[in-house]
Amino acid sequence: MKQETVVVIIGAGPAGVVTSACLNLLSVPNVVLEREDCSASLWKKRSYDRLKLHLAKQFCELPYMPFPSDAPTFVTKNGFIQYLDNYISHFNVNPLHRRIVESASFDVRLGKWLVGAKNMLSNEVEEYVGSFLVVATGENSECFIPEVSGLDSFKGKKLHSSQYKSGKNFSDKDVLVVGCGNSGMEIAYDLSNWGAQASIVTRNPVHVLTKEMVQLGMTLLKFMPCDYVDNVMMMLSKLKYGDLSVYGFRRPAKGPFYQKRATSQTPVIDVGTIDKIKNGDIQVLPSITKVTEDMVEFQDRRVNHFDVVIFATGYKSTVQKWLKDDGGLFNEDGMPKKSTPNHWKGENGIYCAGFSRAGLLGISNDAKNIANDVYRILCEKRST
Ligand SMILES: Cc1cc2nc3c(=O)[nH]c(=O)nc-3n(C[C@H](O)[C@H](O)[C@H](O)COP(=O)(O)OP(=O)(O)OC[C@H]3O[C@@H](n4cnc5c(N)ncnc54)[C@H](O)[C@@H]3O)c2cc1C
Ligand SMILES: NC(=O)C1=CN([C@@H]2O[C@H](COP(=O)(O)OP(=O)(O)OC[C@H]3O[C@@H](n4cnc5c(N)ncnc54)[C@H](OP(=O)(O)O)[C@@H]3O)[C@@H](O)[C@H]2O)C=CC1
Ligand SMILES: O=C(O)C(=O)Cc1c[nH]c2ccccc12
């Protein structure tokens, strides 16, 4: 099977969906290929029950469609899924599900992108041909679990944060959460609420803020330089939480918004975990050195028993596995080589949406930029 279109979009998460919607509004034909049997699979299948958007709704709204007026400031996971599903039908986005893209290359002779996708229903490899290619497979495409000495011998349960739903099945268990990003911190909190003995591993310095502080910061960023806003954030964090280094949490030298832009590090938005750490409900531990059948050894030589280990150690992009020609867009980690705002466009009509480390707001900007650029190029071609 071979299908020709103008734009081939890979991935039906928010980035692919919004790009397709923006192209539809400009009447530019496009096809969206998605490996799962639904759109927004990260939200529908790979996130925990108590998840809410961390940023206030005005910073998570997708282009041309506000959240319903009765939506709470911090939208729930199900509220966001509902909003995205409405978005998809309103803008007539029609992803082709169960298509795993295995290769994409630029044919110089044809001047077109050739995309090979395995149809999981028929087992056939289908070919999609487009003048433009949009990579929207995301920063969270694949789970990352670090190598840990002895992990294979561990007899308890091991899972990645994307497989965690709630602490319901873990009450009275000793659970170790590895990684203190937003997933790890919230999962440790949830586990403790459900009666598990939760511990969390922390390694490098991390910023801890409240969602209200981030909301203020996002608003201030519209008027003030990042340095200034970061100083306000760090001052408010110190006032609220005091010196967290006594609990094992060091503060990075660079500010939270600077770090979010420059590296993949998102500040931790505390949901109540810090209080539980301060009152001893959640134990903080240093890096793991070794795992045995039912014990874990830490850098400070402590050895503790655990029934369950949850790796909240983040994700990886998978672009480099299937993208043969990248038009100079990506580095070896499958992330953009150029920094924002010049990260989204490569050579020969390739673009990326959703790789700006700026959440849903960044995705909306990428999608609008890409659709407008494609439209401009098509208009220029038509007039010559
Ligand atoms: C738990 C969690 C909570 C978050 N909360 C917020 C928040 O509150 N506010 C905010 O602004 N941001 C948030 N983010 C960050 C970001 O907005 C989301 O990750 C968002 O879903 C990213 O959208 P995306 O379309 O770029 O990627 P994804 O949602 O990951 O979508 C990519 C899609 O591509 C598909 N795909 C991947 N590889 C292939 C392939 N080879 N072939 C076909 N399809 C493929 C995947 O199945 C997936 O459906 C959160 C992230 C996570 C992990
Ligand atoms: N409600 C919301 O809006 C939520 C949003 N998110 C977002 O989703 C994205 C992914 O978050 P998350 O899943 O937390 O992943 P992150 O990549 O943000 O965090 C991964 C964590 O794992 C740690 N880690 C990695 N390897 C090791 C190791 N070998 N030993 C110890 N620690 C290790 C990292 O620490 P180190 O710094 O030392 O490398 C880091 O603290 C983020 O942008 C986050 O903000 C997530 C949950 C909820
Ligand atoms: O939670 C995420 O991963 C996000 O990307 C949301 C987000 C975008 N910009 C921010 C700045 C500070 C904290 C969270 C975010």
Side-chain angles (χ1 to χ4, degrees):
M1 198 226 68
K2 184 169 167 173
Q3 186 178 333
E4 211 158 333
T5 183
V6 178
V7 187
V8 180
I9 300 169
I10 309 175
V17 164
V18 179
T19 307
S20 176
C22 292
L23 288 167
N24 289 350
L25 285 172
L26 297 167
S27 303
V28 177
N30 62 87
V31 166
V32 184
L33 304 172
E34 167 57 50
R35 66 182 171 189
E36 300 284 342
D37 58 1
C38 62
S39 52
S41 60
L42 181 73
W43 292 87
K44 289 178 183 167
K45 295 185 168 185
R46 288 178 279 138
S47 58
Y48 46 87
D49 295 345
R50 56 162 286 130
L51 179 67
K52 278 186 186 167
L53 294 184
H54 265 170
L55 300 185
K57 61 180 174 184
Q58 67 266 33
F59 302 110
C60 295
E61 217 148 67
L62 304 177
Y64 316 117
M65 190 168 135
F67 279 106
S69 54
D70 60 350
T73 306
F74 296 96
V75 175
T76 61
K77 166 167 113 167
N78 285 338
F80 184 64
I81 290 172
Q82 181 90 60
Y83 169 72
L84 253 181
D85 281 344
N86 288 342
Y87 195 91
I88 288 170
S89 42
H90 186 263
F91 293 104
N92 200 20
V93 177
N94 290 298
L96 299 177
H97 295 141
R98 312 234 36 209
R99 272 29 176 230
I100 302 186
V101 170
E102 295 177 331
S103 69
S105 55
F106 185 68
D107 186 317
V108 182
R109 199 178 45 85
L110 289 175
K112 296 207 165 168
W113 288 91
L114 310 181
V115 177
K118 185 157 183 183
N119 180 333
M120 297 305 283
L121 301 166
S122 65
N123 245 352
E124 194 195 336
V125 176
E126 301 172 339
E127 189 174 40
Y128 295 86
V129 182
S131 305
F132 302 92
L133 180 73
V134 179
V135 178
T137 47
E139 299 162 351
N140 311 120
S141 189
E142 188 175 72
C143 305
F144 169 70
I145 295 188
E147 279 183 23
V148 179
S149 166
L151 187 60
D152 287 345
S153 65
F154 185 65
K155 293 272 187 287
K157 200 174 163 62
K158 289 173 272 194
L159 63 157
H160 185 263
S161 57
S162 57
Q163 297 165 297
Y164 178 90
K165 294 292 164 204
S166 91
K168 200 174 177 177
N169 299 324
F170 300 114
S171 49
D172 299 328
K173 299 269 191 258
D174 290 320
V175 187
L176 179 64
V177 180
V178 187
C180 59
N182 277 304
S183 300
M185 290 290 270
E186 188 155 7
I187 287 171
Y189 176 80
D190 188 57
L191 283 163
S192 172
N193 279 348
W194 283 95
Q197 270 73 59
S199 302
I200 189 162
V201 169
T202 161
R203 191 172 60 166
N204 291 315
V206 62
H207 284 289
V208 182
L209 306 174
T210 64
K211 59 185 191 318
E212 291 78 14
M213 288 177 203
V214 173
Q215 190 175 0
L216 171 70
M218 298 285 286
T219 309
L220 290 180
L221 276 175
K222 290 182 187 163
F223 317 103
M224 288 164 190
C226 187
D227 281 8
Y228 179 88
V229 180
D230 271 343
N231 285 337
V232 175
M233 293 295 107
M234 290 198 276
M235 193 188 70
L236 291 174
S237 174
K238 262 183 216 159
L239 274 175
K240 161 96 183 152
Y241 295 109
D243 179 11
L244 287 177
S245 66
V246 286
Y247 303 98
F249 288 94
R250 286 165 295 141
R251 212 173 252 120
K254 303 264 190 217
F257 284 102
Y258 171 84
Q259 273 207 331
K260 174 79 182 152
R261 285 177 189 178
T263 69
S264 303
Q265 245 205 20
T266 312
V268 166
I269 301 177
D270 178 40
V271 292
T273 318
I274 297 295
D275 274 350
K276 279 187 177 280
I277 288 171
K278 285 183 172 172
N279 71 24
D281 286 347
I282 296 173
Q283 188 184 16
V284 179
L285 292 160
S287 289
I288 299 176
T289 47
K290 198 169 93 189
V291 176
T292 57
E293 278 190 13
D294 59 350
M295 306 294 276
V296 179
E297 187 185 295
F298 298 90
Q299 220 159 37
D300 59 2
R301 303 220 160 269
R302 241 183 296 183
V303 183
N304 290 2
H305 162 270
F306 289 100
D307 303 299
V308 183
V309 179
I310 301 175
F311 286 94
T313 39
Y315 298 84
K316 281 197 299 193
S317 161
T318 52
V319 167
Q320 65 291 0
K321 288 190 179 168
W322 50 267
L323 187 60
K324 310 291 177 220
D325 308 298
D326 72 0
L329 258 187
F330 295 101
N331 65 21
E332 63 281 3
D333 295 325
M335 292 297 286
K337 271 187 195 155
K338 290 190 196 156
S339 49
T340 340
N342 303 310
H343 60 282
W344 53 276
K345 183 175 177 179
E347 307 272 309
N348 301 322
I350 186 173
Y351 301 92
C352 65
F355 290 87
S356 69
R357 304 182 172 111
L360 295 162
L361 196 61
I363 285 172
S364 298
N365 289 334
D366 289 347
K368 285 189 282 188
N369 282 334
I370 293 167
N372 290 338
D373 200 59
V374 167
Y375 185 71
R376 181 187 56 79
I377 294 170
L378 291 173
C379 290
E380 278 172 11
K381 265 196 202 155
R382 254 180 240 141
S383 65
T384 54

